[in-house]
Amino acid sequence: MDTEELPPCKQDKVHYKGGELSRETLNEKPWSSPQVSSLEMNESSTRDTLSFTVYVGMGSARYVLLTVVALAYIATILANITLMLLIFLDTSLHKPMYIFLFSLILNGLVGSTAVWPNVMNILSTNIPLISYEGCLVQVFLMGTYGACNFSMLTVMAYDRFISIFKPLQYHTIITPQKVKQLLFVANFSPAAMVLGQIYLTSQLPLCRYKVHKIFCDNLGITSLSCDDSHTIQSRVTNLYGIIITIVIAALSVLLILLSYVKIMVLSLKASRNARKKAFKTCSPHIIIFVNFSLASLFSLFYNRFNTYLPGEANILLSMNYILVPPLLQPIIYGIKTQEIRQSFSKVRRRTVFAMSECLFAPSSVFSLCVTGRLTQTM
């Protein structure tokens, strides 16, 4: 095909001058840099490279953001892994409620890891670039994170609903087989739907290369396509995205709200102790649900109006959606759930006791501590 027949697409160029980023609009390549000029990138490779404009011109502020993101991400990893290990190791927590919680916090780790290591790499190297394929992978993981969060919160609401309305039949309804089925449906179905969205998005021809966000999402990529919004391909992609939003997010919110309305109506008719027990059982889930729903709502407005938002607002809204919920989930459940608090205290006492036994024990016993056999004989 003769390239002269194609209309030139304006693309974004990001290059470095004196260690600072600047932008140009060209008709040939999306970016170039003296730091990577030795690579001599060809036309096809430059077509697959996207640039994030939010990072441009941040200056020394990027080090502050890097510190905040790094500390929050490390805290998220530690808090979530600690709670996951607690649920895995303590057999008293091997219950449907905590198995669902394990899946929820694992999903939060996937969502955080899909975004923040790449953000930290960009902030530390001052190279706000990502490959088109890497951007699609990030969109898939981010979409799966949001969709699976809503579906898992719905499953957890169903579990709480059964435990309150049918406590005597709970174990006959929520069987181990039922738990496996719910886990499969809550994780596989949203992931498959998001994968379909990624396939449709990847079929759109790319004509622009500037992403006005700190990470990739589906609307950000579709806005870069050459297709007019009135073409059949663009309409199908947009319609599919709306269907996913309705089926997963809107339906999940509706079911959760209905379940809690019924629980509130029942609690008003019950005794004071019953109301207190119901609130204690449901309060961690309610807090997580409200937090994530509000974060998703802000993210929806952020996706629609991010072009008109300053860089600082872009960063804050992004952190509110993908950094705050995974960090809050283990903290809220750790504080508000009595069984988790008791399990954590039990593990801590055992650890302190074992360490004290090792420190003040004879050398023969100390060798058992080192080999790990003391805890097995205790």
Side-chain angles (χ1 to χ4, degrees):
M1 180 182 293
D2 188 0
T3 56
E4 294 181 356
E5 297 177 2
L6 296 175
C9 293
K10 287 192 174 182
Q11 303 172 1
D12 301 305
K13 177 180 179 181
V14 179
H15 63 93
Y16 297 84
K17 292 181 179 179
E20 294 295 330
L21 283 165
S22 60
R23 285 174 287 186
E24 285 185 34
T25 301
L26 295 181
N27 289 330
E28 295 179 357
K29 295 183 180 181
W31 63 277
S32 62
S33 169
Q35 295 184 10
V36 293
S37 58
S38 60
L39 297 177
E40 298 295 335
M41 299 182 65
N42 57 33
E43 183 71 17
S44 61
S45 64
T46 58
R47 284 174 61 86
D48 293 334
T49 305
L50 307 179
S51 63
F52 297 102
T53 62
V54 174
Y55 299 97
V56 177
M58 290 187 67
S60 59
R62 65 189 178 93
Y63 296 109
V64 177
L65 180 60
L66 175 62
T67 303
V68 172
V69 170
L71 291 176
Y73 180 65
I74 292 172
T76 300
I77 295 294
L78 292 177
N80 282 276
I81 289 180
T82 299
L83 185 53
M84 291 170 65
L85 286 175
L86 199 64
I87 294 172
F88 179 77
L89 296 175
D90 193 344
T91 55
S92 66
L93 298 179
H94 292 181
K95 301 176 181 179
M97 172 183 175
Y98 300 110
I99 294 174
F100 297 144
L101 175 60
F102 187 97
S103 178
L104 181 70
I105 59 180
L106 178 61
N107 181 57
L109 278 180
V110 171
S112 296
T113 306
V115 172
W116 298 117
N118 183 63
V119 170
M120 288 187 288
N121 178 63
I122 290 175
L123 291 171
S124 60
T125 61
N126 201 22
I127 304 178
L129 305 173
I130 188 171
S131 67
Y132 180 63
E133 292 77 11
C135 198
L136 288 176
V137 171
Q138 193 174 80
V139 172
F140 170 72
L141 294 175
M142 282 288 299
T144 302
Y145 156 76
C148 289
N149 253 26
F150 273 116
S151 60
M152 189 53 60
L153 286 170
T154 305
V155 169
M156 295 174 73
Y158 169 73
D159 175 72
R160 295 299 84 202
F161 181 84
I162 297 297
S163 68
I164 291 174
F165 274 84
K166 298 182 179 181
L168 298 179
Q169 293 84 27
Y170 176 81
H171 293 289
T172 60
I173 298 175
I174 309 294
T175 61
Q177 185 64 25
K178 187 69 169 290
V179 170
K180 293 177 182 178
Q181 293 172 353
L182 290 172
L183 285 173
F184 178 80
V185 172
N187 290 288
F188 177 78
S189 299
M193 296 179 72
V194 173
L195 187 61
Q197 177 75 76
I198 299 303
Y199 172 77
L200 292 174
T201 301
S202 66
Q203 300 306 301
L204 297 174
L206 200 64
C207 196
R208 288 170 291 274
Y209 299 89
K210 180 172 65 175
V211 182
H212 190 63
K213 299 180 181 181
I214 68 171
F215 56 80
C216 296
D217 60 28
N218 191 67
L219 282 175
I221 294 183
T222 55
S223 66
L224 303 179
S225 67
C226 302
D227 271 3
D228 188 87
S229 61
H230 298 292
T231 61
I232 295 177
Q233 194 172 14
S234 294
R235 285 181 176 179
V236 170
T237 304
N238 291 332
L239 180 61
Y240 189 85
I242 294 172
I243 292 174
I244 288 181
T245 303
I246 294 174
V247 170
I248 296 178
L251 184 60
S252 296
V253 170
L254 179 62
L255 292 175
I256 293 172
L257 290 177
L258 286 176
S259 68
Y260 278 117
V261 167
K262 287 193 172 185
I263 291 173
M264 289 178 61
V265 171
L266 179 66
S267 300
L268 292 175
K269 299 177 182 179
S271 63
R272 183 176 180 180
N273 289 335
R275 289 198 300 269
K276 186 177 180 181
K277 184 178 180 181
F279 178 77
K280 185 180 294 186
T281 301
C282 299
S283 59
H285 182 268
I286 294 174
I287 295 172
I288 296 299
F289 167 67
V290 171
N291 173 261
F292 185 72
S293 297
L294 291 176
S296 300
L297 182 63
F298 284 125
S299 177
L300 179 63
F301 286 107
Y302 159 70
N303 286 330
R304 294 295 179 182
F305 305 108
N306 72 87
T307 306
Y308 309 101
L309 293 176
E312 294 79 5
N314 256 307
I315 293 169
L316 289 176
L317 289 173
S318 301
M319 294 178 66
N320 185 53
Y321 175 68
I322 193 62
L323 188 63
V324 175
L327 178 59
L328 282 183
Q329 287 168 3
I331 296 175
I332 294 299
Y333 270 95
I335 294 174
K336 303 292 290 185
T337 307
Q338 184 177 0
E339 287 183 291
I340 292 179
R341 292 200 308 269
Q342 291 175 348
S343 177
F344 184 77
S345 299
K346 182 170 61 176
V347 171
R348 185 177 58 184
R349 286 196 300 270
R350 286 180 179 177
T351 303
V352 172
F353 179 76
M355 290 178 63
S356 62
E357 286 291 316
C358 290
L359 289 174
F360 299 102
S363 58
S364 59
V365 179
F366 183 78
S367 63
L368 291 176
C369 295
V370 175
T371 58
R373 285 179 287 175
L374 179 62
T375 55
Q376 298 177 6
T377 58
M378 288 175 59

